Amino acid sequence: MWSIMRRAAIAAAATATAALTVGAGSANAANERHGDGPDNAKGRPYTVGLFGDMPYGPQGRVEYPRLLADMNKSDIEFSIFDGDLKAGGDGTCDDALYSTSLASFNTLKRPVVVLPGDNDWTDCWGRYGAGTGGFDALERLDHERQVFYPTDQTLGRHTMTVQRESSEPGYEKYRENVRWVYGPVMYIGLNVQGSNDNLPHAGVDGENRPDSEIARMTAEHQEREQANIHWLSESYALAAKQGLKGVMVAWQADPNFNNEQKLQPAQYDGYNEILPELRRQVLAFPGQSALVHGDSHYFKLDKPMKYDNGQVVAKFTRVETFGDGNTHWVSATVDPRDPNLFEFTPKIVAANVADR
């Protein structure tokens, strides 16, 4: 099956550059305030909003509208939500979870690109105990795709056109994997999940499902992992071909760079292929790269990627967004005149700072 996909991808890649140009240029609704489009943004700074892992719990649901209002007051071109519509223990993944989240995303004035999170689907079988399960993980992912990704438009009151991996033969199901170009930057969204990217092992991280179900999820992980690698490598190739200055990759999972979380191998071997592929692409690309993710629920800004000699890869930056009990967001400013290209700033929502 994958040989068929690779042959189809060669043909798709030949037209992808044109598709990206059309997709980016049609985002004029997203640029009403600035009077120019993504192409003209190549020469001026602009700002993007980053958030995820919210709302968590009753207090988070009170704070979340304040965060959305704060983002609406800001001068962002668009935003990226890097997954997790709720806490793992916040009840089940019933249809209301997605419809309520959709309504919240559509209160944002500017376009918002939404990526899946593990609490949205991989954990919906009941990882977090009584009252959190009762759903098939793959059915919930398919439902999420139908709700959030029905067309090539983003969510938000003003939308933006994106290219979806589902437009390529052999990858039709992966509507959540997206890319678009804005100014000098290629943006790539991938379905890479916490909970070891849906690669389960019996007895690890609360896993108590039968062997047949573990095998079914493992097959899903492996197929999606190949789709992620294809989309990542093809997108980086297009960014280089277009002479772009930077690439920003967004996904949900904290990939545990350098085993910074001191985990056992079976807790993070789901990233054993995507992380080396990301590193290959970052090193080969002449410009700046950034990875945006959530999952571990605290703001982090660092440079965890290294060369073989142990030296830091200066042109790669990781930013982790806020989440859980900290209902805040992060701004990413893209300045084509700055050699570092990206500048990340925590944006604290004042009304959400309280002693709980």
Side-chain angles (χ1 to χ4, degrees), residues 329-353:
W329 59 286
V330 178
S331 71
T333 297
V334 175
D335 187 346
R337 303 163 300 184
D338 185 345
N340 293 319
L341 188 61
F342 299 112
E343 180 180 350
F344 298 97
T345 305
K347 307 296 282 188
I348 304 300
V349 182
N352 292 343
V353 178

Side-chain angles (χ1 to χ4, degrees), residues 78-140:
F78 55 85
S79 60
I80 301 172
F81 181 87
D82 56 17
D84 266 12
L85 306 173
K86 69 175 187 72
D90 280 348
T92 66
C93 301
D94 59 14
D95 288 358
L97 170 66
Y98 310 95
S99 59
T100 299
S101 299
L102 177 66
S104 294
F105 290 131
N106 283 334
T107 66
L108 288 169
K109 296 187 298 184
R110 310 291 282 170
V112 53
V113 175
V114 175
L115 300 174
D118 57 345
N119 291 350
D120 313 344
W121 67 280
T122 72
D123 301 335
C124 293
W125 60 272
R127 182 184 305 279
Y128 293 98
T132 69
F135 288 91
D136 177 80
L138 305 192
E139 185 278 329
R140 288 291 83 182

Side-chain angles (χ1 to χ4, degrees), residues 189-202:
L190 295 173
N191 186 349
V192 180
Q193 298 301 297
S195 299
N196 202 30
D197 198 34
N198 201 34
L199 178 60
H201 300 285

